Amino acid sequence: MPPTDNQGSFLNRISIRRNQVAYEHEIEDLEQFQKHVADRLSELIHPPEDTPAADPPETTLSIAWFRKLLDIFLCCEAEFKTVVIMGRDANSFLKSPLDRLIPEHLDRSVKALDICNAITQGIELLQHWRKLAQIAVDSLQQKPIGEGHVKRAKKALDTLLSSITIDDKENHHHTGKSTPAPTKSNNHATIGNFKSLSYPFARSWSAAKQIQAMSSNLATPRGGEPTGLVVPVYLMSSVLVFVMWSMVAAIPCQERAGLGAHLQLSKQFSWAQPMIGLQEKIGEEWKKKEKKGRSGLLVETQKLEKLGQNLVEFADGFVFPVEGEKAEEVTEMVVEMAEICRIMEEGLVALDMQVRELFSRIVRGRAETLDVLDQVNKMTTPVPY
């Protein structure tokens, strides 16, 4: 029996109500996503009050801080896929401006993969610096410290400091090999004696320009956008660029001149506030220390450099035997350097694994997004492969 007019009206009202509930649920999910991102980023500036005493807050730009930053990004990326990408009608992405924003986001993801490769190489270089510092520690921990121990430590520290301070453009020749300048103590001693690093990029490749390319078309959504997905896509792109920018600022990368420029973020979003605060803090550190060479702003690298310089001064004025206040001073510096070596040995392995996971997650997320887009064959803007 065909439905009466009253029955049809009732079914229509049910359908409208279901659509309204689904829409309200979607809006709630998107708002929760933004809140979660804001809360996680805020923890990078203001750690939770219930942080255990045995687990002190991470120092900004330390290895531990970057591990937390990458954890936050991976959590945001997983939630972004769940809320925005998976199970959604692909037609949503064909409406303006998403038909442009999604391909742009995917293009940023491709550029981010190059940054991940550069960071992996930078972590490998940090491991070499740690090994050089460890040679100095092992030599200066001998009792009593003899002239041979001091010479061995000085040779390692000279090579370490030479590698840390060398300029990017001087370091990367047409072959792409790492060839630092000679050390003071031995004209033939270079980091290449320990291991020559080969960067997987052309000499003209620039980490700073890659970041600039990722952020150049990252525009703040205008009011009254026709879909609620615009802000989450803008959010995820902003977090992606910020994470890559932060890592390039801290970890040795090829060509970082001009990196100090900030991303242009609108303060109207709650999640943008902590990100802007972190950008300003990192940007000030960059300007203050003028680290345009290889070392970057990583806390552990800064400490290694300072301790290395002090221990080289000690070695230059070494007189046997070392006694009194001088012995205590050297012992304190060696103990501190040994602790930094320990932190780097443990932390860099874990950080390297996270960067590789980040690389895999970006690749997988991009492929999943393309699968959704391929459900319909009506895209007006081609997606770069």
Side-chain angles (χ1 to χ4, degrees), residues 327-368:
E328 293 179 2
E329 181 182 346
V330 171
T331 298
E332 289 178 2
M333 288 191 291
V334 172
V335 168
E336 185 176 356
M337 182 172 279
E339 176 62 13
I340 296 171
C341 288
R342 184 194 65 79
I343 291 172
M344 292 180 72
E345 183 174 16
E346 296 176 359
L348 289 177
V349 172
L351 184 62
D352 182 67
M353 292 177 63
Q354 283 179 298
V355 173
R356 294 175 187 275
E357 171 62 21
L358 174 61
F359 183 98
S360 299
R361 193 77 72 83
I362 291 174
V363 170
R364 189 161 59 247
R366 187 171 183 278
E368 291 168 350

Side-chain angles (χ1 to χ4, degrees), residues 4-20:
T4 65
D5 290 342
N6 288 339
Q7 287 175 321
S9 177
F10 174 74
L11 293 176
N12 287 337
R13 290 199 301 271
I14 291 294
S15 177
I16 292 172
R17 179 55 183 164
R18 285 176 177 172
N19 291 337
Q20 182 179 355

Side-chain angles (χ1 to χ4, degrees), residues 62-81:
S62 66
I63 293 174
W65 187 86
F66 275 101
R67 290 191 60 196
K68 186 171 183 177
L69 175 65
L70 292 186
D71 276 340
I72 288 173
F73 178 84
L74 293 173
C75 289
C76 293
E77 190 272 344
E79 188 170 357
F80 174 76
K81 284 197 305 183

Side-chain angles (χ1 to χ4, degrees), residues 29 48 65 90 124 134 170 173 191 208 211 247 281 314 343:
D29 285 345
W65 187 86
E124 186 176 353
Q134 189 64 55
E170 295 175 356
H173 297 277
I191 194 72
I211 296 293
M247 290 199 297
K281 185 172 184 178
F314 158 73
I343 291 172

Side-chain angles (χ1 to χ4, degrees), residues 78-91:
E79 188 170 357
F80 174 76
K81 284 197 305 183
T82 300
V83 174
V84 178
I85 304 297
M86 307 310 296
R88 185 173 295 278
D89 182 1
N91 287 291

Side-chain angles (χ1 to χ4, degrees), residues 285-334:
E285 286 297 306
W286 182 270
K287 292 178 183 178
K288 182 173 64 177
K289 298 182 179 178
E290 296 182 349
K291 288 294 179 183
K292 299 178 181 178
R294 303 180 71 197
S295 63
L297 300 178
L298 193 70
V299 169
E300 287 78 8
T301 304
Q302 302 297 321
K303 291 180 178 179
L304 273 191
E305 184 176 12
K306 182 177 180 180
L307 288 169
Q309 291 169 345
N310 291 338
L311 287 172
V312 165
E313 290 179 5
F314 158 73
D316 287 338
F318 172 73
V319 177
F320 182 86
V322 184
E323 297 176 337
E325 293 183 2
K326 176 60 67 174
E328 293 179 2
E329 181 182 346
V330 171
T331 298
E332 289 178 2
M333 288 191 291
V334 172

